[in-house]
């Protein structure tokens, strides 16, 4: 015997409510996941920055030990390099400002 129309409509309405509730839960879950993804991307960027700084520190320390074996020799080497950098910067500025005079 077929189900009377009002009962069928009630069943359909109940299914619609269930589907709507599932949809709302899925949307909320998506928002939470998107927020988590954003947080993880921020953490990843920060971690990459920390890794970059750590690699620069390692490179600096490696170069420092190659320049000098003692702290005093390192200070002397740093002063020498700083003076060389100032001279190169000065030469670059001269080239930029008055290239025809060289």
């Amino acid at each position: 015997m077929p189900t009377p129309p009002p009962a069928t409509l009630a069943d359909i309405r109940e299914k619609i409510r269930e589907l709507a509730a599932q949809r709302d839960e899925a949307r909320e879950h998506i928002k939470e996941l998107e927020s988590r993804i954003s947080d993880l991307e921020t953490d990843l960027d920060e971690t990459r920055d920390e890794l970059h700084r750590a690699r620069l520190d390692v490179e600096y320390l490696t170069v420092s030990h190659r320049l000098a074996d003692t702290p005093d020799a390192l200070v002397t080497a740093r002063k020498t390099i700083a003076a060389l950098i100032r001279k190169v910067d000065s030469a670059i500025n001269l080239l930029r400002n008055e290239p025809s005079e060289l």
Side-chain angles (χ1 to χ4, degrees):
M1 172 169 187
T3 308
T8 304
L9 287 176
D11 289 342
I12 292 172
R13 285 187 183 120
E14 183 59 31
K15 295 287 183 187
I16 289 172
R17 281 189 209 98
E18 289 176 18
L19 290 173
Q22 289 175 355
R23 179 203 59 210
D24 294 342
E25 289 174 12
R27 285 181 176 170
E28 187 62 33
H29 188 63
I30 288 170
K31 285 180 185 177
E32 290 171 6
L33 291 175
E34 287 174 342
S35 174
R36 186 162 183 221
I37 288 170
S38 176
D39 292 345
L40 289 172
E41 286 174 343
T42 301
D43 289 347
L44 179 59
D45 289 341
E46 291 172 0
T47 302
R48 283 180 176 157
D49 289 342
E50 288 176 20
L51 177 60
H52 179 69
R53 285 191 301 274
R55 285 182 174 161
L56 289 176
D57 288 346
V58 167
E59 183 179 347
Y60 172 77
L61 291 172
T62 302
V63 170
S64 294
H65 288 292
R66 288 184 185 163
L67 288 175
D69 293 332
T70 66
D72 292 335
L74 181 60
V75 170
T76 303
R78 284 183 183 165
K79 287 179 182 178
T80 303
I81 290 172
L84 289 171
I85 290 172
R86 282 192 299 275
K87 288 180 182 180
V88 170
D89 285 341
S90 176
I92 290 171
N93 283 334
L94 283 173
L95 287 171
R96 283 184 184 155
N97 294 332
E98 301 175 24
S100 63
E101 293 184 16
L102 295 177

